[in-house]
C-alpha cells in the first residue's frame, strides 16, 4: 500500500514538472535548484495540469538531472503515455527495473521536497 502511494505521488510530481534551458536558480523550500530543459520538463509542460508552469517544471527537471540519468528520465516520461507501465516496472523482478524504481522513488521524494510551493 505504501509503495502504491509512493508511485501515485511520483506520477503526480512528474505530471507537474520540467525546466528551462537558461540556467536560472529558484529557491525551493530546501535548496536552490538550477532549472534545465529535458524530457521531463517537456512532458510536464504538455501534461495539461493546472499546477504545471515553467518554474515548477524547471525545478523538477533540475532535480531529475541530479538524480536520474537520461535513460531513467526517458523511462519515467514513458509513464505519461502508459501509466500501467509504471506499475509493471515497479512490480518487476528484473534487477534493472528494481534499481530504477529505487532511484525513481528517491528522485520523486526529493522533487516533492525541493519544488513544493513553486
Amino acid at each position: 500500500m505504501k509503495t502504491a502511494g509512493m508511485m501515485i505521488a511520483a506520477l503526480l510530481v512528474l505530471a507537474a514538472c520540467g525546466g528551462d534551458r537558461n540556467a536560472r536558480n529558484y529557491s525551493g523550500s530546501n535548496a536552490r535548484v538550477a532549472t534545465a530543459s529535458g524530457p521531463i520538463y517537456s512532458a510536464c509542460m504538455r501534461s495539461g495540469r493546472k499546477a504545471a508552469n515553467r518554474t515548477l517544471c524547471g525545478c523538477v527537471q533540475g532535480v531529475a538531472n541530479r538524480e536520474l540519468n537520461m535513460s531513467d528520465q526517458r523511462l519515467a516520461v514513458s509513464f505519461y503515455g502508459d501509466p500501467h507501465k509504471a506499475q509493471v516496472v515497479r512490480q518487476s523482478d528484473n534487477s534493472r527495473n528494481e534499481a530504477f524504481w529505487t532511484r525513481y522513488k528517491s528522485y520523486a521524494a526529493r522533487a516533492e521536497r525541493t519544488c513544493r510551493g513553486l
Side-chain angles (χ1 to χ4, degrees), residues 3-88:
T3 305
M6 180 58 123
M7 183 180 81
I8 290 168
L11 289 173
L12 290 174
V13 167
L14 279 176
C17 53
D20 184 295
R21 199 39 127 186
N22 301 321
R24 285 182 255 159
N25 290 321
Y26 295 97
S27 296
S29 58
N30 294 325
R32 289 171 45 107
V33 177
T35 63
S37 64
I40 291 176
Y41 171 80
S42 297
C44 173
M45 292 300 289
R46 289 189 312 260
S47 72
R49 303 268 184 182
K50 283 194 266 186
N53 62 61
R54 291 178 63 173
T55 303
L56 178 61
C57 291
C59 177
V60 176
Q61 180 68 55
V63 174
N65 288 348
R66 289 196 316 268
E67 298 280 326
L68 303 173
N69 63 38
M70 192 53 66
S71 177
D72 288 348
Q73 290 183 38
R74 284 190 299 270
L75 179 56
V77 166
S78 74
F79 300 159
Y80 281 92
D82 185 5
H84 179 69
K85 185 174 183 177
Q87 185 75 355
V88 170

